Amino acid sequence: MTAIQQQSGAEILLRALRDQGVEVIFGYPGGAVLPIYDAIYQQNSIRHILVRHEQAAVHAAEGYARSTGKVGVVLVTSGPGATNAVTGLVDALMDSIPVVCLTGQVPTHLIGNDAFQEADTTGITRAATKQNYLVRQSEDLARTVHEAFHIARSGRPGPVLIDLPKDILIAPAPYQPASAEPHRSYRPVTEPDPSRIKEAVRLLKSAKRPIVYSGGGVINAGDAASAALVEFVRVTGMPCTSTLMGLGAYPSNDPQFLGMLGMHGTYEANNAMHGCDVMLNIGARFDDRVTGRLNAFSPDSRKIHADIDPSSINKNVVVDVPIIGDAGLVMQALLAAWHADDTRQDREGLASWWRQIDAWRAVDSLKFTQNPAPGSIIKPQHAIRRLYEITRETGRDTFISTEVGQHQMWAAQHFRFDKPNRWMTSGGLGTMGYGLPAAAGVQIAHPDALVIDVAGEASILMNIQEMATLAQYRLPVKVFILNNQYMGMVRQWQELLHGSRYSESYSEALPDFVKLADAFHGVGLRATSVDDLDRVIREMIAIDRPVIADICVDQKENCFPMIPSGAAHNEMILGPEHQDRAAAVTDEGLMLV
Amino acid sequence: MSDETPHPAAAPTFSSREAAALPRRSATISVLVENESGVLARVIGLFAGRGYNIDSLTVASVDAGGSRSRINIVTSGSDMVIEQIKAQLTRLVPVYRIAELSQEGPHLARELAMVKVISDGANRAEALRLAEAFRARVIDATVESFVFELTGGTQKLDSFIELLRPIGLAEVSRTGVAAIARGTRMLSSKH
Ligand SMILES: Cc1ncc(C[n+]2csc(CCOP(=O)(O)OP(=O)(O)O)c2C)c(N)n1
Ligand SMILES: [Mg+2]
């Protein structure tokens, strides 16, 4: 050894992470990563959060990333540690969340031998990551870590995995700082084509019935992108709708906001999408939850689509003006071009379009009836509305995560977000079990904020072990369960599409959530009737510890409005009175999920 | 690839709404990739995972240091699907450059086949005559068999093989298509 003590691979790894600005790792130890855990033990600058399941480590990193704009970091062992992480990786891939996942691997000389806890991790995760690496040589280690962070956070963000054989972690390795050189082959385009921007502005100015449809890409592009979106919508006077993933980029309480669009979107948002003549899609991907039946989607509009990922453009829907670029840069360019272009905007057309939209709005498609009499059963929508109103009264910075199901959609419809990065939900993959670990990740990043997981009684059991993580790190996350004793979303589809045959969707043998909270060193609360609700919400918020609030809600409530699968935007079921429309769903529609 | 490089952010436009319904066509796509482990699996996985066809695929390293490989893929689909394939390939991290040779100008496409014929008598003589007509070379011969080597476009190879079928065709081994643009156009990385 030379005069300078050479560092081990594990130490070099941590040094590279520090240089990348990493402050927190979510992980779970095991044989293959013991050298890393040993190095973690001997330093203080990176904090390790011990989760209770590797899937939760990835969701926690997603929550951390989504709420901060930073890269979330995961550390798990080989074999089962890596395979447990796969769901989280696909979740991050689908929702474009920047995550770097470090997995242990058996030593290089044993790879391919079916060694103990060996899995072909790079093989298994190839379709679950934006990019993955197996580090075979110590001299590649530091460079690979820097490259992984660059790829995870740039372009369309996503999960990147680095598989680390144990011998590489133990052997001495050289350090290289992050290179300023651009990547050899990977060069995402961020600057939009100016001629396309001009074309888009001309189209938008001549529009009689324009709409802005914004998505998660705007959130990913940072606060400046959301600010530019807001300014553009205000300057142009256009209506704006958002996907599930985009909520918060445009303030929900603003009169120009039409609410969420898509399968459970508002009547005005979906009708405006259907009837518009020019559509500006910024950072959304024409997902099937949004478009409904493709051949009936917004039939009379010219479409402008801006996305950082060229493969999102013309994938599902043919567009007229494709723009490749970063959502923030695109919005800023559109705004500048809007001011520079001297074509007159069709303000008269826009005014009559707004009259039409206001008529749709008057339908009040999110309405529900809550019986206020003491002892009445709680409507789930009412529970979310009150949660929103009471948290707003407190004035605290509030972050909401969700599980997957009806409660998720009700939260999207009735909780109003006015800032980006406050809403964490599994949109693309729809992963039950996402919300609790994601909330833990958010709370780690924002220790003083109010962090609430809006959950269903079925979903919450998928990662309930994370209550122990909350207890260990004193994370005062609130789990707000809309307990309808059903896998409500499954039950709703069975009611509407399968003759009310509730096959396996009843939540039998539920735990007592109040006692469960207690067992996990938290506080359990329960509301069984409408007069309990406000008190329970206030108490939940006031308690500075993990809380499970078991909100017993109407078991048979359905989530409306709804565009049944295979239907068009203007074939919406507004409420129970239109439920028979689902009977018209074709076999082709039945095949869709 | 061409001199008048389009803006890097220029995505293709489709002239009509019916573009999606256009008839299928064949496309020859060349992809220049970093020669890292798993890159071929990523490309093939992309085609399998998204349900695209692979009619032919060839791969070999093409630079002096062996750090870059060229993958040639023959696929088919509607215009919209082929644009999707190109966009999906472009966004793979280890991909430097892709070009649809069949679209960007005149190009050459060749493959090599080794064809074994086992026959006797008149069939054996006929096989030799056909090989001569197609300019195939005899690269192995025994009293009962020949192995012919033939290079050319896919259709030429197909018809040679078809003609041999009734007269003792025993086994075929083909390389798949290698393709290159005519003239000075190159599939070199812009970076
Ligand atoms: C991991 C996983 N398994 C299955 C599903 C299918 N699924 C979607 S919603 C749902 C029911 C969720 O029930 P619950 O958490 O009680 O929420 P609710 O719909 O009742 O609000 C199921 C099973 C899923 N999304 N994720
Ligand atoms: Mg439920």
Side-chain angles (χ1 to χ4, degrees):
Chain A
M1 226 172 249
T2 49
I4 323 154
Q5 174 84 37
Q6 266 213 321
Q7 291 181 296
S8 71
E11 287 164 329
I12 290 301
L13 172 71
L14 288 188
R15 188 168 158 192
L17 295 179
R18 264 194 303 276
D19 278 6
Q20 286 294 334
V22 174
E23 291 163 2
V24 183
I25 296 177
F26 299 91
Y28 204 94
V33 285
L34 282 177
I36 305 178
Y37 277 86
D38 202 35
I40 287 175
Y41 189 86
Q42 298 178 50
Q43 55 87 55
N44 280 319
S45 54
I46 297 181
R47 188 171 174 212
H48 180 274
I49 303 296
L50 178 68
V51 294
R52 299 312 196 257
H53 188 292
E54 290 86 353
Q55 180 192 352
V58 188
H59 294 325
E62 289 183 272
Y64 179 91
R66 189 78 175 158
S67 67
T68 59
K70 298 183 198 165
V71 178
V73 183
V74 176
L75 169 58
V76 298
T77 194
S78 65
T83 56
N84 269 352
V86 170
T87 299
L89 293 171
V90 179
D91 193 89
L93 185 71
M94 294 284 274
D95 285 343
S96 309
I97 311 294
V99 167
V100 168
C101 179
L102 309 164
T103 52
Q105 183 53 280
V106 301
T108 39
H109 69 273
L110 286 181
I111 290 178
N113 282 9
D114 299 326
F116 177 63
Q117 292 197 330
E118 180 184 0
D120 174 8
T121 301
T122 48
I124 290 169
T125 61
R126 198 161 282 128
T129 52
K130 180 173 175 184
Q131 172 72 337
N132 63 13
Y133 304 88
L134 170 62
V135 179
R136 289 179 172 276
Q137 273 155 347
S138 299
E139 52 269 31
D140 294 337
L141 178 59
R143 182 188 55 76
T144 304
V145 174
H146 297 311
E147 188 173 311
F149 275 81
H150 171 62
I151 288 171
R153 68 162 80 93
S154 62
R156 178 176 179 176
V160 178
L161 180 141
I162 311 177
D163 204 20
L164 298 159
K166 195 169 182 181
D167 53 327
I168 299 287
L169 295 173
I170 292 170
Y175 188 71
Q176 290 153 324
S179 147
E181 294 262 296
H183 188 272
R184 301 176 301 289
S185 54
Y186 167 77
R187 308 272 173 94
V189 171
T190 54
E191 287 281 352
D193 182 345
S195 65
R196 291 277 166 84
I197 294 284
K198 275 196 200 126
E199 206 182 330
V201 163
R202 251 173 267 136
L203 204 54
L204 286 161
K205 282 207 171 169
S206 67
K208 292 192 182 318
R209 303 185 308 279
I211 189 162
V212 178
Y213 146 43
S214 92
V218 179
I219 310 259
N220 276 337
D223 288 354
S226 296
L229 169 74
V230 172
E231 196 183 341
F232 184 82
V233 171
R234 299 238 165 102
V235 165
T236 60
M238 293 175 186
C240 178
T241 177
S242 166
T243 65
L244 180 72
M245 295 307 294
L247 292 175
Y250 193 89
S252 303
N253 284 316
D254 187 283
Q256 277 174 264
F257 188 63
L258 307 189
M260 181 173 77
L261 81 166
M263 185 172 273
H264 293 290
T266 65
Y267 188 66
E268 55 270 35
N270 285 328
N271 273 306
M273 287 290 280
H274 189 82
C276 67
D277 68 343
V278 177
M279 172 190 301
L280 169 63
N281 168 347
I282 173 83
R285 57 186 175 91
F286 292 113
D287 174 80
D288 53 78
R289 290 296 98 151
V290 156
T291 60
R293 191 169 76 238
L294 264 182
N295 61 9
F297 174 69
S298 196
D300 303 318
S301 63
R302 310 256 281 152
K303 299 174 184 73
I304 304 159
H305 183 189
D307 204 293
I308 191 133
D309 178 359
S311 73
S312 285
I313 295 177
N314 288 324
K315 181 173 65 180
N316 303 327
V317 170
V318 178
V319 300
D320 303 276
V321 185
I323 302 173
I324 300 168
D326 170 87
L329 298 179
V330 169
M331 285 320 302
Q332 283 155 10
L334 284 172
L335 201 55
W338 181 274
H339 290 304
D341 184 287
D342 48 18
T343 330
R344 215 180 69 88
Q345 184 186 9
D346 188 347
R347 282 274 170 180
E348 299 71 42
L350 186 60
S352 75
W353 178 225
W354 269 113
R355 282 193 291 280
Q356 168 68 74
I357 289 172
D358 287 338
W360 287 325
R361 217 176 223 171
V363 169
D364 192 12
S365 61
L366 298 182
K367 69 173 172 286
F368 58 90
T369 318
Q370 172 67 57
N371 183 345
S376 304
I377 189 81
I378 303 168
K379 288 284 179 186
Q381 302 93 320
H382 179 67
I384 300 287
R385 279 277 170 97
R386 290 307 294 149
L387 181 70
Y388 167 64
E389 286 157 4
I390 295 172
T391 53
R392 204 175 149 90
E393 278 167 25
T394 67
R396 289 179 62 185
D397 198 6
T398 304
F399 293 76
I400 301 290
S401 72
T402 74
E403 307 291 336
V404 172
Q406 290 179 319
H407 62 275
Q408 176 190 30
M409 292 299 121
W410 283 317
Q413 292 173 336
H414 297 278
F415 204 100
R416 311 200 135 231
F417 297 91
D418 50 12
K419 287 194 204 118
N421 308 98
R422 301 301 190 278
W423 166 244
M424 308 332 110
T425 197
S426 171
L429 196 62
T431 312
M432 292 169 70
Y434 166 89
L436 179 55
V442 174
Q443 190 83 74
I444 289 286
H446 308 272
D448 299 325
L450 178 57
V451 182
I452 304 169
D453 172 27
V454 173
E457 81 296 333
S459 294
I460 193 63
L461 291 180
M462 285 214 177
N463 270 320
I464 193 69
Q465 77 288 343
E466 295 311 310
M467 288 299 295
T469 309
L470 300 186
Q472 178 177 348
Y473 298 97
R474 298 178 193 283
L475 304 175
V477 167
K478 319 295 188 243
V479 181
F480 190 75
I481 302 179
L482 295 186
N483 187 345
N484 52 10
Q485 291 199 41
Y486 274 102
M487 297 172 192
M489 192 55 96
V490 174
R491 192 203 55 71
Q492 174 168 349
W493 281 51
Q494 289 172 334
E495 180 183 346
L496 297 182
L497 302 165
H498 296 275
S500 299
R501 290 178 293 280
Y502 298 142
S503 179
E504 305 294 326
S505 56
Y506 183 66
S507 289
E508 192 73 58
L510 282 174
D512 178 332
F513 286 110
V514 173
K515 287 188 186 152
L516 190 74
D518 195 44
F520 276 114
H521 317 289
V523 177
L525 305 171
R526 180 171 291 130
T528 53
S529 70
V530 68
D531 38 318
D532 296 335
L533 183 65
D534 283 17
R535 180 185 52 77
V536 165
I537 294 174
R538 286 185 212 283
E539 211 175 317
M540 171 186 91
I541 293 174
I543 296 170
D544 191 26
R545 286 168 59 189
V547 179
I548 297 182
D550 185 17
I551 312 296
C552 305
V553 297
D554 191 343
Q555 297 192 5
K556 294 289 173 73
E557 190 70 15
N558 284 333
C559 184
F560 294 120
M562 177 181 184
I563 302 176
S565 34
H569 275 181
N570 57 351
E571 298 166 352
M572 199 172 224
I573 304 177
L574 278 174
E577 65 281 11
H578 294 136
Q579 226 159 282
D580 52 334
R581 283 197 189 166
V585 167
T586 58
D587 283 355
E588 211 176 319
L590 264 185
M591 265 186 276
L592 301 171
V593 286
Chain B
M1 184 132 188
S2 57
D3 297 335
E4 62 277 27
T5 315
H7 188 280
T13 44
F14 287 89
S15 44
S16 84
R17 250 161 248 301
E18 282 73 46
L22 277 181
R24 296 168 74 80
R25 64 178 179 85
S26 171
T28 303
I29 299 172
S30 286
V31 191
L32 192 65
V33 298
E34 174 81 3
N35 215 349
E36 64 184 36
S37 79
V39 59
L40 188 60
R42 242 174 215 282
V43 169
I44 293 173
L46 172 74
F47 276 74
R50 295 187 183 265
Y52 307 141
N53 291 311
I54 301 181
D55 296 327
S56 157
L57 184 141
T58 58
V59 57
S61 85
V62 289
D63 68 338
S67 71
R68 292 179 185 197
S69 288
R70 178 176 179 131
I71 300 174
N72 298 295
I73 303 165
V74 181
T75 181
S76 57
S78 67
D79 272 343
M80 199 165 154
V81 166
I82 287 166
E83 287 308 327
Q84 245 316 284
I85 291 173
K86 293 196 280 187
Q88 293 287 354
L89 286 168
T90 305
R91 78 178 188 143
L92 295 182
V93 170
V95 166
Y96 284 97
R97 177 93 177 89
I98 77 136
E100 186 188 347
L101 297 177
S102 45
Q103 194 90 107
E104 293 184 5
H107 74 286
L108 302 160
R110 292 288 182 273
E111 60 176 313
L112 180 145
M114 289 188 271
V115 185
K116 183 172 288 181
V117 173
I118 303 176
S119 57
D120 50 21
N123 281 350
R124 193 170 157 84
E126 176 62 13
L128 261 187
R129 251 197 309 279
L130 278 171
E132 219 163 280
F134 276 82
R135 295 179 207 280
R137 293 201 302 141
V138 177
I139 55 174
D140 180 67
T142 69
V143 283
E144 303 140 290
S145 69
F146 288 120
V147 175
F148 299 118
E149 176 197 305
L150 179 61
T151 309
T154 298
Q155 280 180 354
K156 175 177 167 185
L157 269 56
D158 287 349
S159 39
F160 180 57
I161 291 163
E162 274 318 301
L163 289 169
L164 290 173
R165 199 171 295 284
I167 53 172
L169 179 75
E171 195 176 338
V172 178
S173 180
R174 289 168 75 151
T175 57
V177 173
I180 201 162
R182 283 185 184 270
T184 55
R185 284 189 304 136
M186 289 188 294
L187 177 72
S188 53
S189 165
K190 277 182 305 209
H191 320 321

